[in-house]
Amino acid sequence: MGLGNWLRDLRVAAGLTQEELAARTGMDWPTGIASIESGHGSLPPEYLLAYADALGQNPRIFAARVLRFTHPHAFALLLGEDPRQAFREVIEALPGRGVRRPLGASLDTGTGA
């Protein structure tokens, strides 16, 4: 399944027509949504939040899934096999958050705790 099919399935599950989704997201219809759903266009990043809200999706999870479809190598680099671990590493590496470690460094303290 590609991005367009997935987005169409989400729209249908939300009970929205393409016209209704366009109104909720501010995208052009039919060129925008129809193009994306048919696999001939891509979802512009500036519409990710509006799309997620209109479809009742968690915006962060929605954006990660779109990234997985559109840029699988970037998705794998950022989130790898264990997305929860990857998010923990990113949060740990943020300034002012816990112990600062380089990305990819083990969170294991070696204490067995």
Side-chain angles (χ1 to χ4, degrees):
M1 172 185 295
L3 175 65
N5 291 332
W6 177 69
L7 291 172
R8 183 183 57 242
D9 289 349
L10 289 176
R11 177 183 56 77
V12 170
L16 298 173
T17 64
Q18 288 182 344
E19 295 93 342
E20 291 167 333
L21 182 59
R24 291 185 185 196
T25 62
M27 287 195 77
D28 291 335
W29 185 89
T31 57
I33 293 171
S35 177
I36 294 166
E37 290 185 359
S38 68
H40 298 295
S42 61
L43 179 59
E46 61 269 22
Y47 288 100
L48 286 172
L49 181 58
Y51 241 82
D53 287 344
L55 298 173
Q57 300 293 304
N58 175 297
R60 288 184 177 144
I61 294 171
F62 181 80
R65 289 182 176 161
V66 169
L67 182 65
R68 189 173 191 178
F69 280 111
T70 59
H71 300 287
H73 295 292
F75 177 87
L77 180 62
L78 287 172
L79 302 175
E81 294 295 318
D82 185 357
R84 289 184 179 152
Q85 177 64 28
F87 278 122
R88 284 192 295 270
E89 290 178 15
V90 168
I91 289 170
E92 286 287 325
L94 292 174
R97 300 285 241 155
V99 177
R100 296 180 70 185
R101 297 179 184 88
L103 286 177
S106 173
L107 295 177
D108 182 10
T109 61
T111 62

